[in-house]
Amino acid sequence: MRSRFAAPSARLALAAVAAMAVTATATATATATAGSRSTAVRACVTKDLTYKVSLKTQAGGYFLVTAKAKPGVTCYLEGVFPSASFGSSADTEVSPAEHAVSDRVTLFGSTAAYAGINPKTTNNDHGREFDFLHLSVAGDESNAVTLTLPETATVDRPTATNWHADPADAVPFSG
């Protein structure tokens, strides 16, 4: 009679061990999936970054925009030019100074991305003066920030380089 009662107990113990194994596998899978999502770097949006504009004299003069991730943010900027304009009319919007996409720049901590903006690409006395630059990450134009320029800029057919990891690559040479 004992053997008859032992069999159900053994089956119950085996079922309990199997249930724990299934639970452990499901927990490990869920943890791995959540972990892989949290380590994936996402594209930056305008509010993820802080910006600084400085005046450079190389290549006839331009504005160097430095972007850094805010504390706790890790994101990337595609190697395309930023959305920027000096005013609200279409003729103050920057156009690309480069014809190809650059390398992606991942931002975190003190890592920075750089874009050069040439406010005047024409060789004439035309243009309008501005003290501010409206800037956003491409694709996030509805959340643009307004940056004070280090000096008033005469604007006529402005161009911008792509985002680069090296400020030397962000010089908008005139062609």
Side-chain angles (χ1 to χ4, degrees), residues 90-103:
D91 64 345
T92 67
E93 292 178 11
V94 300
S95 59
E98 298 177 75
H99 298 289
V101 174
S102 305
D103 292 334

Side-chain angles (χ1 to χ4, degrees), residues 30-155:
T31 301
T33 302
S36 65
R37 271 187 258 139
S38 65
T39 59
V41 178
R42 63 177 174 76
C44 297
V45 293
T46 305
K47 70 179 182 178
D48 289 334
L49 308 173
T50 60
Y51 306 91
K52 176 184 164 194
V53 180
S54 54
L55 181 63
K56 300 296 180 181
T57 57
Q58 186 180 4
Y62 69 99
F63 295 107
L64 181 67
V65 178
T66 304
K68 291 184 177 183
K70 289 181 178 176
V73 174
T74 298
C75 61
Y76 66 84
L77 286 170
E78 289 292 349
V80 297
F81 71 105
S83 293
S85 68
F86 290 89
S88 58
S89 66
D91 64 345
T92 67
E93 292 178 11
V94 300
S95 59
E98 298 177 75
H99 298 289
V101 174
S102 305
D103 292 334
R104 178 183 284 185
V105 181
T106 300
L107 301 175
F108 60 95
S110 64
T111 307
Y114 306 91
I117 298 179
N118 184 345
K120 185 169 175 34
T121 59
T122 58
N123 190 15
N124 58 36
D125 294 330
H126 302 287
R128 298 187 330 209
E129 293 191 348
F130 293 92
D131 294 316
F132 298 96
L133 175 69
H134 307 292
L135 182 95
S136 65
V137 172
D140 190 30
E141 288 79 8
S142 64
N143 294 307
V145 296
T146 300
L147 306 169
T148 302
L149 297 173
E151 70 176 32
T152 300
T154 301
V155 177

